[in-house]
């Protein structure tokens, strides 16, 4: 195949965004605030200070359209391989025989293998600046834990990670990555916390959920001195940090004079979707594009396609403030699908609000369809995608096949949120016929 300019659209290191984009500055209505469950009143900044540093809380509540990215954070973004390329999937187009153009943003190139360090870095930086020495967190598939472990190594902080039991068993190398970066890792539910012990007493074989792991991480944070907690998705400040992705994509699309018909990302807690799309959704709110934004979730964890929009806890025990979000209920136990990062009962309040306003099209797929798309993508494009990202790939393929039917040259851009090189257990099950839609 001949090589064209848009096969890989790159930016120079100076093009790493200098500001994060905050969609709250452009929405016609506020994102509903978190509520203190004891009073049902909006949480005060002081309520959150037990678990988050002040810098994070200020960003969480900010309605400023742009927020400066500190120099040390931009510098660490360099280490993450930012700005990441926008790449054309020409081989996939050819394989599908579609007139559509398909591009994907390469968040798989970060050292932790996903987009998650984009928020781990600034969160760790703000904690370090305020003199915090230890961070606690939860991780599903291990991606967030790896990201926080990486950033804690970078800023010389200690880190304890509660890893959802099924992922701990399915993905042993993720644990070793975190340990290599110097973090402590416990399978959750664990014996390390009172809540973990309680859950284990009721069910010693509990597979764990993100909600339970969050409860454990918060419990340890509240008990251990000089410790804060860090969340890898869902909250406004995480969506904010991830907008480096979408701002780069905007610059890259401008370079090739393209406005996409579709932008597609998978959704777990909503952060890669938000980061990838919010800068373009901000433009859509101002009437500058007619792009459709697809949020893709697993059929077995259908928070947006089947959940209710209401206030609910972010964790299982009910330790977090109440968040207004699409939710399946905080006691929802998702099946043990391999897209561990998508096994969350709720959806970010910011994404939920933008969806309620009609800017998001949520869709869902069964696990086996997403693995089929992943294997196709790996064989034609050479990249083994994360099971989470495969949801976006499946939707991109379907849109490209629709364009083939109608013979339209649609432009489809999806976010490749991570690589799947540590998810080969799932691929093994798919390839050897041991996979169904729940495990
Ligand atoms: C964690 C993760 C997700 C899901 O989380 P979001 O906050 O919805 O982005 C998606 N893809 C990958 C590769 C992940 O690690």
């Amino acid at each position: 195949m001949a090589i064209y300019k848009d096969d890989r659209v790159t930016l120079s290191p100076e093009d790493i965004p200098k500001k994060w984009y905050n969609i709250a500055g452009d929405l016609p209505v506020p994102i509903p605030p978190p509520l203190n469950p004891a009073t049902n009143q909006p949480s005060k900044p002081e309520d959150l200070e037990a678990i988050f540093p002040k810098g994070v809380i200020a960003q969480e509540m900010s309605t400023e359209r742009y927020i400066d990215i500190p120099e040390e954070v931009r510098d660490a973004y360099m280490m993450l391989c930012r700005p990441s390329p926008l790449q054309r999937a020409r081989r996939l187009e050819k394989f599908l025989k579609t007139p559509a153009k398909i591009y994907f943003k390469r968040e798989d190139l970060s050292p932790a293998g996903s987009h998650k360090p984009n928020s781990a870095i600034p969160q760790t930086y703000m904690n370090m600046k305020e003199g915090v020495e230890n961070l606690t967190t939860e991780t599903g598939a291990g991606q967030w834990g790896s990201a926080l472990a990486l950033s804690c190594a970078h800023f010389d902080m200690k880190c304890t990670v509660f890893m959802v039991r099924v992922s701990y068993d399915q993905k042993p190398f993720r644990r070793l990555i975190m340990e290599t970066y110097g973090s402590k890792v416990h399978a959750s539910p664990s014996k390390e916390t009172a809540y973990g012990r309680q859950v284990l007493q009721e069910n010693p074989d509990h597979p764990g959920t993100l909600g339970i792991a969050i409860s454990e991480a918060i419990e340890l944070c509240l008990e251990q001195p000089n410790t804060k907690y860090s969340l890898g998705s869902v909250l406004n400040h995480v969506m904010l940090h991830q907008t480096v992705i979408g701002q780069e994509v905007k610059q890259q699309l401008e370079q090739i004079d393209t406005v996409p018909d579709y932008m597609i990302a998978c959704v777990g807690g909503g952060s890669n979707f938000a980061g990838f799309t919010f800068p373009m959704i901000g433009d859509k709110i101002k009437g500058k594009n007619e792009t459709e934004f697809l949020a893709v979730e697993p059929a077995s964890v259908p928070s947006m396609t089947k959940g209710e929009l209401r206030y609910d806890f972010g964790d299982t025990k009910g330790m977090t403030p109440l968040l207004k979000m699409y939710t399946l209920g905080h006691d929802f136990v998702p099946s043990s699908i391999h897209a561990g990062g998508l096994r969350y009962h709720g959806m970010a309040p910011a994404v939920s609000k933008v969806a309620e306003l009609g800017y998001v099209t949520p869709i869902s797929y069964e696990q086996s369809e997403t693995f089929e798309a992943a294997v196709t993508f790996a064989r034609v494009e050479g990249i083994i995608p994360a099971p989470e990202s495969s949801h976006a790939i499946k939707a991109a393929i379907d849109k490209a096949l629709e364009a083939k039917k109608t013979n339209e040259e649609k432009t489809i851009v999806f976010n490749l949120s991570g690589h799947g090189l540590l998810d080969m257990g799932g691929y093994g099950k798919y390839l050897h016929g041991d996979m169904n839609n729940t495990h």
Side-chain angles (χ1 to χ4, degrees):
M1 277 196 296
I3 296 173
Y4 298 92
K5 175 180 162 198
D6 70 339
D7 280 341
R8 187 168 60 228
V9 189
T10 55
L11 298 170
S12 82
E14 303 112 73
D15 296 323
I16 293 176
K18 295 195 168 67
K19 293 170 192 295
W20 288 297
Y21 168 69
N22 183 6
I23 200 160
D26 279 325
L27 288 177
V29 287
I31 297 167
L35 299 184
N36 180 331
T39 61
N40 259 338
Q41 294 300 309
S43 303
K44 299 193 192 77
E46 308 86 88
D47 298 347
L48 302 173
E49 280 173 17
I51 56 172
F52 293 123
K54 293 189 174 73
V56 162
I57 296 167
Q59 290 183 350
E60 184 61 25
M61 301 189 160
S62 171
T63 54
E64 293 293 317
R65 182 176 291 130
Y66 288 103
I67 294 177
D68 286 337
I69 304 180
E71 208 46 54
E72 293 92 327
V73 171
R74 286 187 79 228
D75 182 57
Y77 280 166
M78 267 286 299
M79 175 179 78
L80 303 182
C81 234
R82 306 220 69 84
S84 70
L86 180 72
Q87 195 161 313
R88 178 115 179 235
R90 216 179 272 278
R91 290 153 206 86
L92 180 61
E93 292 168 15
K94 198 171 161 200
F95 173 81
L96 298 172
K97 301 191 177 66
T98 175
K101 293 180 181 173
I102 306 173
Y103 298 90
F104 58 104
K105 178 69 167 164
R106 297 214 49 188
E107 294 303 305
D108 60 306
L109 294 177
S110 100
S114 78
H115 64 290
K116 292 212 170 69
N118 298 333
S119 183
I121 289 282
Q123 289 195 48
T124 308
Y125 171 79
M126 284 185 273
N127 277 290
M128 183 266 295
K129 276 288 181 191
E130 293 181 30
V132 176
E133 286 172 358
N134 308 283
L135 290 180
T136 67
T137 197
E138 73 294 328
T139 195
Q143 303 266 31
W144 171 249
S146 313
L148 197 69
L150 159 76
S151 61
C152 282
H154 181 68
F155 291 114
D156 202 14
M157 307 257 297
K158 294 199 186 78
C159 180
T160 307
V161 183
F162 291 88
M163 182 170 187
V164 175
R165 161 75 63 188
V166 323
S167 292
Y168 187 91
D169 294 338
Q170 279 171 353
K171 300 174 187 187
F173 290 127
R174 281 268 169 220
R175 165 186 170 195
L176 291 172
I177 289 175
M178 293 182 259
E179 290 177 351
T180 301
Y181 285 130
S183 290
K184 241 190 250 166
V185 186
H186 305 295
S188 167
S190 78
K191 294 195 170 127
E192 300 294 313
T193 66
Y195 186 59
R197 288 189 292 271
Q198 182 194 324
V199 173
L200 284 175
Q201 203 164 37
E202 285 157 20
N203 177 3
D205 298 320
H206 201 296
T209 66
L210 269 177
I212 293 170
I214 295 173
S215 302
E216 288 203 274
I218 293 180
E219 184 181 323
L220 179 63
C221 161
L222 294 174
E223 265 177 15
Q224 191 174 269
N226 211 1
T227 303
K228 300 281 184 206
Y229 162 74
S230 178
L231 188 63
S233 188
V234 183
L235 297 180
N236 298 338
H237 64 276
V238 185
M239 309 296 124
L240 175 79
H241 299 151
Q242 293 294 352
T243 60
V244 289
I245 304 173
Q247 293 187 87
E248 288 176 9
V249 169
K250 256 181 81 169
Q251 290 184 61
Q252 287 162 319
L253 291 171
E254 279 161 20
Q255 259 188 40
I256 53 169
D257 247 336
T258 297
V259 181
D261 295 289
Y262 302 105
M263 286 182 82
I264 305 173
C266 64
V267 282
S271 74
N272 88 90
F273 175 83
F276 177 64
T277 60
F278 278 5
M280 290 291 282
I281 292 180
D283 280 359
K284 184 161 185 178
I285 293 171
K286 295 172 206 135
K288 291 191 196 163
N289 65 50
E290 290 186 2
T291 304
E292 186 178 350
F293 302 94
L294 274 68
V296 194
E297 61 186 12
S300 60
V301 196
S303 59
M304 293 190 90
T305 50
K306 300 228 173 103
E308 280 178 60
L309 181 59
R310 63 176 168 89
Y311 271 101
D312 193 10
F313 288 107
D315 67 326
T316 305
K317 187 184 173 196
M319 297 175 86
T320 67
L322 294 162
L323 302 171
K324 178 92 181 271
M325 58 186 181
Y326 286 99
T327 177
L328 296 161
H330 61 280
D331 53 1
F332 178 79
V333 181
S335 56
S336 305
I337 54 167
H338 289 269
L342 307 186
R343 296 173 76 247
Y344 185 65
H345 65 272
M347 183 51 52
V351 173
S352 295
K353 177 47 84 182
V354 169
E356 187 191 4
L357 292 171
Y359 291 106
V360 182
T361 311
I363 54 172
S364 70
Y365 289 111
E366 296 290 353
Q367 169 160 270
S368 45
E369 320 176 80
T370 64
F371 268 89
E372 185 185 359
V375 169
T376 298
F377 187 74
R379 290 180 184 172
V380 295
E381 290 293 337
I383 301 168
I384 297 181
E388 292 85 359
S389 319
S390 307
H391 289 70
I393 296 174
K394 170 63 179 160
I397 290 176
D398 278 5
K399 284 295 169 198
L401 292 175
E402 257 178 56
K404 179 177 170 178
K405 268 200 195 135
T406 56
N407 198 24
E408 287 174 287
E409 199 188 276
K410 297 277 190 192
T411 302
I412 300 162
V413 186
F414 72 86
N415 194 34
L416 185 65
S417 53
H419 70 63
L421 293 175
L422 294 153
D423 301 285
M424 296 320 293
Y427 278 89
K429 282 199 170 168
Y430 174 76
L431 293 168
H432 305 148
D434 299 330
M435 176 173 281
N436 64 24
N437 284 324
T438 54
H439 64 263

